[in-house]
Amino acid sequence: MIKAGIVGATGYAGAELVRLLASHPQARVEAVSSVSYEGKKLSDVYPNLYGICDLVLTGADEVVEKCDVVFASLPHGLSEELAGKCLAAGKKTIDLGADFRLDSESEYAEWYGKSYKRPDLHEKALYCIPELHRSAYRGQPIIGNPGCYPSSVALGAAPLFEAGIAEKSMVIDSKSGVTGSGRGLTDTTHFPNCNEAFSAYKAAAHRHTPEIEQTLSALAGDKVTVTFVPHLLPVNRGIETTMYVGLTAPCTAEELHKLYSDRYRGEKFVRVLPLGRAANIRDVRMSNYCDIGIFADPRTGRAVITSAIDNMVKGAAGQAIQNMNIMFSIEEDCGLDFVPPAF
Amino acid sequence: MIKAGIVGATGYAGAELVRLLASHPQARVEAVSSVSYEGKKLSDVYPNLYGICDLVLTGADEVVEKCDVVFASLPHGLSEELAGKCLAAGKKTIDLGADFRLDSESEYAEWYGKSYKRPDLHEKALYCIPELHRSAYRGQPIIGNPGCYPSSVALGAAPLFEAGIAEKSMVIDSKSGVTGSGRGLTDTTHFPNCNEAFSAYKAAAHRHTPEIEQTLSALAGDKVTVTFVPHLLPVNRGIETTMYVGLTAPCTAEELHKLYSDRYRGEKFVRVLPLGRAANIRDVRMSNYCDIGIFADPRTGRAVITSAIDNMVKGAAGQAIQNMNIMFSIEEDCGLDFVPPAF
Amino acid sequence: MIKAGIVGATGYAGAELVRLLASHPQARVEAVSSVSYEGKKLSDVYPNLYGICDLVLTGADEVVEKCDVVFASLPHGLSEELAGKCLAAGKKTIDLGADFRLDSESEYAEWYGKSYKRPDLHEKALYCIPELHRSAYRGQPIIGNPGCYPSSVALGAAPLFEAGIAEKSMVIDSKSGVTGSGRGLTDTTHFPNCNEAFSAYKAAAHRHTPEIEQTLSALAGDKVTVTFVPHLLPVNRGIETTMYVGLTAPCTAEELHKLYSDRYRGEKFVRVLPLGRAANIRDVRMSNYCDIGIFADPRTGRAVITSAIDNMVKGAAGQAIQNMNIMFSIEEDCGLDFVPPAF
Amino acid sequence: MIKAGIVGATGYAGAELVRLLASHPQARVEAVSSVSYEGKKLSDVYPNLYGICDLVLTGADEVVEKCDVVFASLPHGLSEELAGKCLAAGKKTIDLGADFRLDSESEYAEWYGKSYKRPDLHEKALYCIPELHRSAYRGQPIIGNPGCYPSSVALGAAPLFEAGIAEKSMVIDSKSGVTGSGRGLTDTTHFPNCNEAFSAYKAAAHRHTPEIEQTLSALAGDKVTVTFVPHLLPVNRGIETTMYVGLTAPCTAEELHKLYSDRYRGEKFVRVLPLGRAANIRDVRMSNYCDIGIFADPRTGRAVITSAIDNMVKGAAGQAIQNMNIMFSIEEDCGLDFVPPAF
């Protein structure tokens, strides 16, 4: 039984990890920490967990000590120190924050306004969307778990860039449920402000931009740039990303569909939808699926790809568990058989 | 492995049964039927199930033939015939409709406008909210699965009536999510009509009234009447019921809380909340829990009890599986370990 | 042209006053104040008002100085001082807070934990739901604007208590949209916490209880007690109140309906709905209407009354303007002809 | 007083016209028709209008006879006949459907699958987004009221194409509230299906595509093509459109902002937002405003323009009244001073 710990367990990704790990047959949550709620029970903060996970929240050190793998669910800039402690103690780290996602320290500095404190750790870390990067896992003790938006984009656009048929600059229009903004109280996430509302935010200026470009550029073997505009959607969960990709040669919808079907054959968590069906966040809620719907626009020479994930599962906690499974050499889909509800 | 079949699988309760049974370790969905969609795949109707349950919808007879237990998810008036076929074929029936809920045929006729077609079957049927009626199960081949509202009321009010401290007429104010209205299209459930809307419906005239009174009267050993007013809540799932019970003798909140805690000790699916906390539909979503929050109003001599269930799970499909487990003598909570998400 | 000012203009009631007064033919917003945002434009805080009301937020004294009437939209305990200043300056005050609602200082102290600072002012103030109390207006310089819940209850229950056919203790189950909680950020009103959620709060312990009992007792000519349980509804606007009133003598639905129709004949803002129709918050949104739906439950001897108001209009800013019209002897419905949208 | 009539008054655009015209100082609704509800009161179908508009629904001919201007709110293919009758009777027609929007009959045939029945009428009709086309109004008796999406796109993109700095093919990602789908019941608009859901529909295949291209091409003086993908947003009202326009020369955000501010100076219903603020459907609800937020993406050479309208007002009924005002030579903003609520 893998002993799993969560540092930052009262954040949304942390709470979701507890929910998902509760039914994992080979792992159990052994310790949880929180700076703000240390000493309280997790179920006092999350009444849904009452009687299910009544663990008392501790400090981070206790989590490192007790567990085999530590999930770091922290604001950026705080994970390196924790990962260093884990490494020293021989424990594995899965970072759900942004600190181990970018290969380039200068890009990290540019977009996050900080430099690395422990550059040495980054050589021991792998950024891993399993469907794209699992083959690069060679025992690294740290995994940088991908961002929610970048996961939805990378899975949705990868086949086009791998096949070399995409122009080198694309438009990405993403829409995320409010849990993507986390548990912190803000004007934007006050119910009367975001209910019956919809707006773009950080247009062409979101921090996930370099992460997206890094992944697509690697697939394309050339620099790819993107105009990435996220929007806040008045739902709890889900990211829908609509991608507009200029094609370097004409391509029918059927050809695109075949390309995707071939690429993702055998990938349990990627569902290439039947031609004509767009991805809907409803159909992947609470699950680790990424649904992909494919369209061609021959009038303009673009492909339109729609992808849908649950931002808290495939976009965060679920993918983190998928990465944990990789790290511990167990079946990659172990404990992740969540069936999305119809409603 | 129990072979489970669903007649009326494209209705909401049917679709939820498929979702829940997908992770049941001792049962699997073997056949599904639908009048309207016969010949199509279930996942064509419910894209969330794409790649998960791609069974082709058949007729009802094929379900009876192939399965050990048949879940009937049909409009009232249609389950007796099916239950008769199951009985003849030696199969068990769990009816999620209203046909096997009322002991009194005259009350059925009064509220549903129909008489029984097969009165003989009703002697072989048990109406069963497990926490209240499981001891009455003695191998009956038919179980009448309780209604959603009555489940939320009975669990919430039972301790007061069992203890004999409740006045014989009570007020019940229930609020249900829109899935309670089912999959059929109506003006009421058209999004712009029920979003940002809220209203009572069938005030003091809902068909669940006699079912509620039947259960409470049995517990009280005397005729209990209720004023029951349901409301439509603009959420997908959940029933919150607020019960106002005049007490025959003064009782503090602490005493009430102790009464409930004692009554439900060991009941996995009933969570008596800490004093001062009201039940919230959020905290039981997607799970088989019934949360109960307890308040006293000494100024007026009433107890105020709040209960919350997921109408599709503890109020329908989950309780039906709980009943299936009873029928097959396996652990009552088997396959029902669903953790409610925080959001 | 009445010069109207708002102290506490960045709160929700304040912002709604600005919206409603913008189309009032005999009043205009002359000054607005805010402690937190002094010096900013109101439209910087409320982008919906961009180009419509770009007034700069000042201090409260400037509002008193510039205006004929001051709307106080403040936390309880802060309005007496302001009302005192207005009185000294010969200006009228309409208090949307709780400070001028209760006749009994001891009840105020019991429920709000404070004593009056200026008891003398209370003799110069009138608590006024226009449909019930307008005849008591005799030039008082201060009006205590009623609470949102008490407005929905008083209009809904008044005819029964005036007619003397109601038992002296009743059950009130209210449901309010989230704007009722105001603009302040709280865990409860964080979108992912209240979306798809529903719960009672302050069950049998809400501060509006004594205000409700004060009004109904006055109408009944005898002490009336209530069990009042409010709930938080995941919509922006609206209060639906379901009232359960034991009747002292049998009464048909038709008789009840006639009683209400007669009582409210000529009342523009009270719509007694056709028999069989329940009040729906949807149908009164953005308007000053109070809809009332009437049901009888002969099985238990209770009347069930449903009322619906927009908590921000008839429950706050609209009723305050109605009271302003009374104070200035203009048509009571002047500037309040808002048509509720269908969706 | 202009006598206004609505043919198809029980549809959503019709009901919104009634709401808006109720406060128009120079027009009143004189007659309303409906095929499905002839003989019923409008307020029986829309209880929000109870006591406000209790007109009895008639046939279309009676509307033509009684009114000076007829708003046609009909499915496409049905407005020509009505417009012909109006013309014969000397009445003006404003068509809220698609029949008088496209200049090219062949495009109409291609996208709507029908040919014109009365080609002669189209010479007497003007397609009119007032801010772009009002100068072309020369007494035409028929106005083709623009589609909701095209209105949001045209106002948002016009300055770039008029200035000649836009590439000739652009990406348009629109999101519409559910009222855009109308009053008819569909699986897609059943509450549990669209609540907590989000998806593209008719990707690169929506009928508003040729209307958008027609307007932009005329502004650009050259053929413009668009990839247009609409999405269904789980809110009642509002369209947010995000436009991605490649620029033919580098342009800073400040330069773009100045271009827009200059272009729309004096346009009451177009609000160019301060730099850095994105358009939000919340801020224009229930009003005739179109908000525009402007961003530059120098990394990719694109402008990102966000526009927000209320699809039922500026996208339908409000713009129709604006066009009525033009037709009757009264102030264009007469009766359209609706202040969007903050919540």
Side-chain angles (χ1 to χ4, degrees):
Chain A
M1 208 67 170
I2 302 165
K3 292 180 209 159
I6 302 161
V7 173
T10 55
Y12 275 177
E16 187 73 351
L17 276 164
V18 172
R19 178 176 81 88
L20 299 185
L21 287 169
S23 57
H24 196 291
Q26 303 194 38
R28 72 159 177 271
V29 175
E30 190 75 15
V32 287
S33 83
S34 161
V35 171
S36 317
Y37 296 95
E38 191 171 341
K40 293 191 82 170
K41 288 182 187 174
L42 182 59
S43 58
D44 287 337
V45 185
Y46 285 101
N48 61 303
L49 297 176
Y50 184 57
I52 297 166
C53 179
D54 298 315
L55 285 174
V56 173
L57 292 152
T58 68
D61 289 347
E62 196 168 331
V63 174
V64 175
E65 190 185 325
K66 282 191 176 172
C67 299
D68 305 315
V69 57
V70 174
F71 293 92
S73 186
L74 298 168
H76 64 86
L78 299 179
S79 293
E80 285 175 297
E81 187 189 342
L82 178 65
K85 286 186 185 178
C86 287
L87 190 65
K91 310 299 177 76
K92 299 181 196 301
T93 306
I94 297 173
D95 182 27
L96 285 85
D99 293 355
F100 292 100
R101 290 177 185 162
L102 295 181
D103 294 336
S104 155
E105 184 174 353
S106 67
E107 287 219 315
Y108 182 79
E110 180 188 341
W111 289 84
Y112 290 90
K114 298 189 177 172
S115 54
Y116 287 159
K117 296 171 196 153
R118 292 281 307 269
D120 61 305
L121 292 178
H122 293 265
E123 293 160 28
K124 298 183 165 60
L126 177 70
Y127 173 81
C128 187
I129 298 175
E131 289 78 4
L132 300 181
H133 307 123
R134 67 167 73 89
S135 65
Y137 187 71
R138 298 193 178 78
Q140 292 92 331
I142 303 170
I143 280 188
N145 205 55
C148 50
Y149 288 123
S151 298
S152 77
V153 174
L155 292 170
L160 297 176
F161 287 94
E162 288 176 347
I165 60 173
E167 288 180 2
K168 292 299 176 283
S169 184
M170 71 181 286
V171 166
I172 303 168
D173 191 292
S174 286
K175 303 89 178 171
S176 173
V178 183
T179 52
S181 300
R183 187 165 172 273
L185 306 184
T186 66
D187 273 328
T188 308
T189 56
H190 188 50
F191 185 89
N193 286 344
C194 65
N195 180 43
E196 297 293 294
F198 186 79
S199 179
Y201 69 98
K202 295 185 188 160
H206 192 282
R207 283 167 168 170
H208 283 173
T209 305
E211 183 182 343
I212 292 168
E213 293 184 349
Q214 168 181 292
T215 299
L216 298 184
S217 297
L219 295 173
D222 198 354
K223 177 68 187 166
V224 173
T225 62
V226 303
T227 298
F228 169 56
V229 180
H231 301 71
L232 188 64
L233 195 56
V235 303
N236 279 4
R237 289 165 176 264
I239 287 179
E240 206 273 356
T241 294
T242 311
M243 289 157 268
Y244 301 86
V245 185
L247 298 177
T248 54
C251 208
T252 65
E254 288 73 17
E255 289 166 336
L256 292 170
H257 192 263
K258 183 175 184 323
L259 176 69
Y260 275 74
S261 299
D262 289 348
R263 174 59 181 85
Y264 288 124
R265 183 155 299 125
E267 286 295 352
K268 174 162 181 179
F269 295 124
V270 179
R271 301 193 292 193
V272 178
L273 301 179
L275 254 189
R277 194 189 290 172
N280 191 323
I281 58 168
R282 180 194 59 207
D283 297 327
V284 299
R285 265 180 306 179
M286 315 279 165
S287 84
N288 203 47
Y289 290 104
C290 174
D291 278 4
I292 300 178
I294 295 158
F295 301 88
D297 187 19
R299 300 172 65 261
T300 64
R302 294 185 184 99
V304 177
I305 310 297
T306 62
S307 74
I309 60 171
D310 183 320
N311 59 305
M312 299 308 300
V313 188
K314 186 61 178 167
Q319 190 152 263
I321 293 172
Q322 203 178 345
N323 277 323
M324 178 191 82
N325 291 345
I326 291 174
M327 283 180 128
F328 285 87
S329 302
I330 56 183
E331 289 297 307
E332 198 178 301
D333 63 348
C334 183
L336 290 169
D337 282 325
F338 299 100
V339 180
F343 35 76
Chain B
M1 207 70 170
I2 302 165
K3 291 180 210 160
I6 303 161
V7 172
T10 55
Y12 275 177
E16 188 74 351
L17 277 164
V18 171
R19 178 176 83 88
L20 300 184
L21 287 168
S23 58
H24 196 292
Q26 302 194 39
R28 73 159 176 271
V29 176
E30 190 75 16
V32 288
S33 83
S34 161
V35 171
S36 316
Y37 295 94
E38 191 171 342
K40 294 191 82 169
K41 287 183 186 174
L42 183 60
S43 58
D44 287 337
V45 185
Y46 285 101
N48 61 304
L49 298 175
Y50 184 57
I52 296 166
C53 178
D54 298 315
L55 285 174
V56 173
L57 293 152
T58 67
D61 289 347
E62 196 169 331
V63 175
V64 175
E65 189 185 326
K66 282 191 176 171
C67 299
D68 305 315
V69 56
V70 173
F71 293 92
S73 187
L74 297 170
H76 64 85
L78 298 180
S79 293
E80 285 176 297
E81 187 190 341
L82 178 65
K85 284 186 188 181
C86 288
L87 189 66
K91 311 300 176 75
K92 300 182 196 300
T93 305
I94 298 173
D95 181 28
L96 284 88
D99 293 354
F100 292 99
R101 290 177 185 162
L102 295 181
D103 294 336
S104 155
E105 185 175 352
S106 67
E107 287 218 316
Y108 182 79
E110 179 188 341
W111 290 85
Y112 290 91
K114 298 189 178 173
S115 53
Y116 287 158
K117 295 171 197 154
R118 291 281 308 267
D120 60 306
L121 293 179
H122 293 265
E123 294 159 29
K124 299 184 163 60
L126 178 70
Y127 173 81
C128 186
I129 298 175
E131 289 78 4
L132 301 180
H133 307 123
R134 68 167 73 89
S135 65
Y137 186 71
R138 297 193 177 79
Q140 291 91 331
I142 302 170
I143 281 188
N145 205 55
C148 50
Y149 288 123
S151 299
S152 77
V153 174
L155 292 170
L160 298 176
F161 286 95
E162 289 175 348
I165 60 175
E167 289 179 2
K168 293 298 177 283
S169 183
M170 72 182 286
V171 166
I172 303 167
D173 191 291
S174 287
K175 304 87 178 173
S176 172
V178 183
T179 51
S181 301
R183 189 166 171 271
L185 307 183
T186 66
D187 273 328
T188 308
T189 56
H190 188 50
F191 185 90
N193 286 345
C194 65
N195 180 43
E196 297 293 293
F198 186 79
S199 178
Y201 69 98
K202 294 184 189 161
H206 192 281
R207 283 169 168 168
H208 283 173
T209 304
E211 184 183 341
I212 292 169
E213 293 185 348
Q214 168 181 291
T215 299
L216 298 183
S217 297
L219 295 173
D222 199 355
K223 177 68 187 165
V224 173
T225 61
V226 302
T227 298
F228 169 56
V229 180
H231 301 71
L232 188 64
L233 195 55
V235 303
N236 279 3
R237 287 167 178 264
I239 286 179
E240 202 271 357
T241 294
T242 310
M243 288 157 269
Y244 300 86
V245 185
L247 298 177
T248 54
C251 207
T252 66
E254 288 73 15
E255 289 166 335
L256 291 171
H257 192 262
K258 182 175 184 321
L259 175 69
Y260 276 73
S261 300
D262 289 348
R263 172 61 181 85
Y264 288 124
R265 184 157 298 124
E267 287 294 351
K268 174 161 181 179
F269 296 123
V270 179
R271 301 194 293 193
V272 177
L273 301 179
L275 255 190
R277 193 188 292 171
N280 192 323
I281 58 168
R282 180 194 61 207
D283 297 327
V284 298
R285 264 180 308 178
M286 315 277 166
S287 85
N288 203 47
Y289 289 105
C290 175
D291 279 5
I292 299 177
I294 294 158
F295 301 88
D297 187 19
R299 300 170 66 262
T300 63
R302 294 187 184 97
V304 177
I305 310 297
T306 63
S307 73
I309 60 171
D310 183 321
N311 59 306
M312 298 308 301
V313 187
K314 186 61 176 167
Q319 190 151 265
I321 293 172
Q322 203 178 344
N323 277 323
M324 177 192 81
N325 291 345
I326 290 173
M327 283 180 128
F328 285 86
S329 303
I330 57 184
E331 289 297 306
E332 198 177 301
D333 63 349
C334 182
L336 290 168
D337 283 325
F338 299 100
V339 180
F343 34 76
Chain C
M1 206 69 169
I2 303 165
K3 292 180 208 158
I6 303 161
V7 172
T10 55
Y12 275 177
E16 187 74 350
L17 277 164
V18 172
R19 178 176 83 87
L20 299 185
L21 288 168
S23 58
H24 196 291
Q26 302 194 40
R28 73 159 177 272
V29 176
E30 191 74 16
V32 288
S33 83
S34 161
V35 172
S36 318
Y37 296 94
E38 191 170 342
K40 294 191 82 170
K41 288 182 185 173
L42 182 60
S43 58
D44 286 336
V45 185
Y46 286 101
N48 60 304
L49 298 175
Y50 184 58
I52 297 166
C53 180
D54 298 315
L55 285 174
V56 172
L57 294 152
T58 67
D61 288 348
E62 197 169 329
V63 175
V64 175
E65 189 185 326
K66 282 191 176 171
C67 298
D68 305 314
V69 58
V70 174
F71 293 91
S73 186
L74 298 168
H76 64 86
L78 299 179
S79 293
E80 285 176 297
E81 188 189 343
L82 177 66
K85 286 186 186 179
C86 287
L87 191 65
K91 310 300 177 73
K92 300 182 197 300
T93 306
I94 298 172
D95 181 27
L96 285 86
D99 292 354
F100 292 99
R101 290 178 185 161
L102 295 182
D103 295 335
S104 155
E105 185 175 351
S106 66
E107 287 219 314
Y108 182 79
E110 178 188 342
W111 289 85
Y112 290 92
K114 298 188 178 175
S115 53
Y116 286 158
K117 297 171 195 154
R118 291 283 307 270
D120 60 306
L121 293 178
H122 293 264
E123 294 160 28
K124 297 183 166 58
L126 177 70
Y127 172 81
C128 187
I129 298 175
E131 289 79 3
L132 301 180
H133 307 122
R134 67 167 73 89
S135 66
Y137 187 72
R138 297 192 179 78
Q140 291 92 331
I142 302 169
I143 281 188
N145 205 55
C148 50
Y149 288 123
S151 299
S152 78
V153 173
L155 292 170
L160 297 176
F161 286 95
E162 289 176 348
I165 60 174
E167 288 179 2
K168 293 297 177 283
S169 184
M170 71 182 285
V171 166
I172 303 167
D173 190 292
S174 286
K175 304 88 179 172
S176 172
V178 183
T179 52
S181 301
R183 190 167 169 272
L185 306 183
T186 65
D187 272 329
T188 306
T189 56
H190 187 51
F191 185 89
N193 285 345
C194 65
N195 180 43
E196 298 292 296
F198 186 80
S199 178
Y201 69 98
K202 296 184 186 160
H206 192 280
R207 283 167 168 169
H208 283 173
T209 305
E211 184 182 342
I212 293 168
E213 292 184 348
Q214 168 182 292
T215 300
L216 298 183
S217 297
L219 295 173
D222 197 356
K223 177 67 186 166
V224 173
T225 61
V226 303
T227 298
F228 169 56
V229 180
H231 301 71
L232 188 64
L233 196 55
V235 304
N236 279 3
R237 288 166 176 263
I239 286 179
E240 206 272 357
T241 294
T242 311
M243 289 156 267
Y244 300 86
V245 185
L247 298 177
T248 54
C251 209
T252 65
E254 288 73 17
E255 289 166 335
L256 292 171
H257 192 262
K258 183 175 184 323
L259 175 70
Y260 276 73
S261 299
D262 289 348
R263 173 60 182 85
Y264 288 124
R265 184 156 298 126
E267 287 295 351
K268 174 161 179 178
F269 295 124
V270 179
R271 300 193 293 192
V272 178
L273 301 179
L275 254 189
R277 194 188 291 171
N280 192 323
I281 57 168
R282 179 194 61 207
D283 296 328
V284 299
R285 266 180 306 179
M286 315 279 165
S287 86
N288 203 47
Y289 290 104
C290 174
D291 278 4
I292 299 177
I294 294 157
F295 301 87
D297 187 18
R299 300 171 65 261
T300 63
R302 294 186 183 99
V304 177
I305 310 297
T306 63
S307 74
I309 60 171
D310 184 320
N311 59 306
M312 299 308 300
V313 188
K314 186 60 176 167
Q319 190 153 264
I321 293 172
Q322 204 178 345
N323 277 323
M324 178 192 81
N325 291 346
I326 290 173
M327 283 180 128
F328 286 86
S329 302
I330 57 183
E331 290 297 306
E332 199 177 300
D333 64 348
C334 183
L336 290 169
D337 282 325
F338 299 100
V339 180
F343 35 76
Chain D
M1 209 67 170
I2 302 165
K3 291 181 210 159
I6 302 161
V7 172
T10 54
Y12 275 178
E16 188 73 352
L17 276 165
V18 171
R19 178 175 83 86
L20 300 184
L21 287 169
S23 58
H24 196 291
Q26 302 194 38
R28 73 159 177 272
V29 176
E30 191 74 16
V32 288
S33 82
S34 162
V35 171
S36 318
Y37 295 95
E38 192 171 341
K40 295 190 82 169
K41 288 181 185 174
L42 183 59
S43 58
D44 287 336
V45 184
Y46 286 101
N48 60 304
L49 297 175
Y50 185 57
I52 297 166
C53 179
D54 298 315
L55 284 174
V56 173
L57 293 153
T58 67
D61 289 347
E62 195 168 332
V63 175
V64 175
E65 190 186 326
K66 282 190 176 171
C67 299
D68 305 315
V69 58
V70 174
F71 293 92
S73 187
L74 298 169
H76 64 86
L78 299 179
S79 293
E80 285 176 297
E81 188 189 342
L82 177 66
K85 286 185 187 180
C86 288
L87 190 64
K91 311 299 177 74
K92 299 182 197 300
T93 306
I94 298 173
D95 181 26
L96 285 86
D99 293 355
F100 292 99
R101 290 177 185 163
L102 295 182
D103 294 336
S104 155
E105 186 175 351
S106 67
E107 287 218 315
Y108 182 79
E110 179 188 340
W111 289 85
Y112 291 91
K114 298 188 178 174
S115 53
Y116 287 159
K117 296 171 195 153
R118 292 281 308 268
D120 60 305
L121 293 178
H122 293 263
E123 292 160 29
K124 299 183 164 60
L126 179 69
Y127 173 82
C128 187
I129 298 175
E131 289 79 3
L132 301 180
H133 307 122
R134 67 167 73 89
S135 66
Y137 187 73
R138 296 192 179 80
Q140 292 91 332
I142 302 171
I143 281 189
N145 205 56
C148 50
Y149 288 123
S151 298
S152 78
V153 174
L155 292 169
L160 297 176
F161 286 94
E162 288 176 349
I165 61 174
E167 289 179 1
K168 293 299 177 283
S169 184
M170 71 181 287
V171 166
I172 303 167
D173 190 293
S174 287
K175 304 87 179 173
S176 173
V178 183
T179 52
S181 301
R183 189 166 171 271
L185 307 183
T186 66
D187 273 327
T188 307
T189 56
H190 188 51
F191 185 89
N193 286 345
C194 65
N195 180 44
E196 298 292 295
F198 186 78
S199 178
Y201 69 98
K202 294 185 188 160
H206 192 282
R207 283 169 167 167
H208 284 172
T209 305
E211 184 182 343
I212 293 169
E213 293 185 348
Q214 168 181 293
T215 299
L216 298 183
S217 297
L219 296 173
D222 198 355
K223 177 67 187 166
V224 173
T225 61
V226 304
T227 298
F228 170 55
V229 180
H231 301 71
L232 189 65
L233 196 56
V235 304
N236 278 4
R237 288 167 176 262
I239 286 179
E240 205 272 357
T241 294
T242 311
M243 288 157 270
Y244 301 86
V245 185
L247 299 176
T248 54
C251 208
T252 66
E254 288 72 16
E255 290 166 334
L256 292 171
H257 192 263
K258 182 175 184 322
L259 175 70
Y260 275 74
S261 299
D262 290 348
R263 173 60 182 85
Y264 288 123
R265 184 157 299 124
E267 287 294 352
K268 174 161 180 180
F269 296 123
V270 179
R271 302 194 292 194
V272 178
L273 301 179
L275 255 189
R277 194 188 292 171
N280 191 323
I281 57 168
R282 179 194 61 206
D283 297 328
V284 298
R285 264 180 307 179
M286 314 278 166
S287 85
N288 203 47
Y289 290 104
C290 174
D291 278 5
I292 299 177
I294 295 157
F295 301 87
D297 187 19
R299 301 171 65 262
T300 63
R302 294 187 183 98
V304 176
I305 310 298
T306 62
S307 74
I309 61 171
D310 184 320
N311 59 305
M312 298 309 300
V313 188
K314 187 60 176 168
Q319 190 151 265
I321 293 172
Q322 203 178 345
N323 277 323
M324 178 192 80
N325 291 345
I326 290 173
M327 283 179 129
F328 285 86
S329 303
I330 57 183
E331 289 298 306
E332 199 178 301
D333 63 348
C334 183
L336 290 169
D337 283 325
F338 299 100
V339 180
F343 35 78

